[in-house]
């Protein structure tokens, strides 16, 4: 009853254009943003232009620690502005739509990966206190609920309050993340799915994957809402 009243007072809107839309993504915007299809990198899932290529430019030149990953959309308008609102404008409700779409699209590959536990990329406690929430945690919980896999929000801790990654080059991103995270629980023999909002160079996912494998994790994978354009 409370949910129905709230939906009447605050009807759900399209996460991209803001029009009232029960499904969270209107038909026009769904067609506009599309989804990432083949050919795409076998490692990070970025779309690639050469059909004969197996990996994108970045994955061909750098040995990242995780096994594989996938993202829903390319990080461009209107996806980028929607994610910005989700992260910085308190549009937490968008997380339910993103999570539902990610669970629906990647359910089969999550089963193929045989995931044991889902973990969100953590925020530093100061940043989370200021923002009021961790967007990756909202995503992880929604996905975990829909695919029936446990979510551990304390397994990875961010102990260093890093500067936003968007300010740096690839090399600087790795330096910025040095000693930024720590594993606080047991992961021996587990297959871990890391959840974040955006994948750019993969530095954050890679840093966490390295720590998880040092702690005994068998394999690591990732899912994000969006990803940069491949070559």
């Amino acid at each position: 009853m409370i949910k129905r009243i709230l939906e009447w007072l605050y009807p759900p809107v399209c996460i991209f254009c803001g029009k009232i839309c029960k499904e969270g993504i209107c038909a026009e915007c769904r067609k506009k943003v599309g989804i990432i299809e083949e050919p795409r990198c076998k490692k990070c899932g970025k779309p690639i232009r050469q059909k004969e290529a197996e990996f994108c430019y970045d994955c061909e030149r750098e040995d990242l620690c995780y096994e594989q990953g996938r993202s829903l959309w390319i990080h461009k308008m209107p996806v980028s502005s929607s994610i910005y609102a989700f992260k910085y404008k308190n549009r937490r409700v968008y997380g339910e739509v993103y999570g539902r779409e990610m669970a629906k699209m990647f359910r089969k590959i999550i089963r193929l990966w045989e995931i044991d536990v889902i973990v969100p990329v953590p925020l530093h406690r100061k940043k989370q206190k200021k923002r009021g929430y961790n967007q990756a945690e909202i995503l992880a919980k929604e996905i975990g609920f829909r695919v029936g896999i446990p979510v551990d929000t304390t397994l990875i801790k961010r102990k260093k309050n890093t500067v936003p990654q968007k300010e740096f080059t690839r090399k600087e991103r790795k330096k910025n993340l040095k000693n930024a995270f720590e594993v606080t629980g047991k992961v021996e023999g587990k297959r871990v799915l890391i959840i974040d909002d955006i994948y750019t160079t993969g530095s954050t996912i890679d840093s966490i994957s390295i720590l998880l494998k040092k702690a005994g994790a068998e394999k690591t994978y990732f899912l994000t809402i969006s990803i940069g354009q491949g070559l």
Side-chain angles (χ1 to χ4, degrees):
M1 181 66 72
I2 293 174
K3 185 177 180 181
R4 288 179 180 177
I5 293 172
L6 287 173
E7 286 181 350
W8 180 76
L9 291 172
Y10 308 100
V13 299
C14 174
I15 60 175
F16 298 123
C17 69
K19 294 178 183 177
I20 294 176
C21 176
K22 187 177 180 180
E23 292 75 22
I25 303 176
C26 71
E28 186 178 343
C29 286
R30 189 177 290 278
K31 185 177 180 180
K32 184 188 297 184
V33 299
I35 57 171
I36 298 175
E37 297 179 321
E38 300 294 345
R40 59 183 169 190
C41 177
K42 290 186 176 180
K43 179 87 170 178
C44 73
K46 284 181 184 176
I48 48 180
R49 300 188 184 116
Q50 296 84 10
K51 291 183 179 180
E52 66 278 5
E54 291 190 351
F55 302 101
C56 68
Y57 179 87
D58 293 334
C59 291
E60 276 186 343
R61 286 157 180 76
E62 190 170 7
D63 186 21
L64 297 170
C65 188
Y66 66 83
E67 269 61 44
Q68 199 174 41
R70 290 289 182 267
S71 306
L72 276 177
W73 302 300
I74 298 297
H75 193 69
K76 61 182 182 180
M77 291 289 288
V79 173
S80 55
S81 60
S82 176
I83 294 176
Y84 183 87
F86 175 48
K87 292 176 68 171
Y88 303 114
K89 300 296 183 180
N90 203 22
R91 300 295 195 275
R92 306 185 201 192
V93 68
Y94 286 11
E96 182 178 339
V97 181
Y98 296 135
R100 183 181 68 230
E101 293 292 317
M102 292 167 78
K104 181 180 177 181
M105 181 60 63
F106 302 122
R107 186 181 300 274
K108 288 183 179 179
I109 199 166
I110 290 172
R111 289 176 179 170
L112 183 66
W113 290 338
E114 298 180 324
I115 299 300
D116 296 301
V117 62
I118 297 173
V119 298
V121 172
L123 288 177
H124 189 268
R125 56 182 176 80
K126 289 183 179 179
K127 190 173 292 184
Q128 182 158 342
K129 184 178 180 180
K130 182 179 179 181
R131 187 177 300 176
Y133 61 98
N134 176 5
Q135 72 280 355
E137 183 176 322
I138 292 173
L139 287 173
K141 288 180 177 179
E142 186 66 27
I143 294 168
F145 169 73
R146 292 183 176 276
V147 300
I149 296 175
V151 176
D152 192 334
T153 61
T154 63
L155 183 61
I156 303 295
K157 178 182 178 182
R158 189 184 288 258
K159 58 181 182 178
K160 179 180 173 185
N161 194 9
T162 55
V163 177
Q165 289 287 81
K166 62 183 179 181
E167 306 292 336
F168 299 117
T169 63
R170 176 182 292 274
K171 188 175 181 180
E172 290 171 336
R173 287 173 186 237
K174 287 195 171 185
K175 185 178 180 180
N176 185 46
L177 290 170
K178 188 175 181 181
N179 300 319
F181 302 102
E182 67 176 336
V183 178
T184 61
K186 295 182 178 181
V187 293
E188 290 87 350
K190 291 185 177 181
R191 296 187 174 206
V192 184
L193 176 60
I194 304 165
I195 303 296
D196 205 1
D197 52 359
I198 308 166
Y199 182 104
T200 48
T201 65
S203 300
T204 301
I205 303 295
D206 188 53
S207 296
I208 292 174
S209 292
I210 290 170
L211 286 177
L212 285 169
K213 289 190 175 181
K214 283 183 178 180
E218 181 185 354
K219 293 183 178 181
T220 59
Y221 302 86
F222 80 83
L223 290 179
T224 62
I225 303 168
S226 68
I227 193 167
Q229 177 69 57
L231 298 175

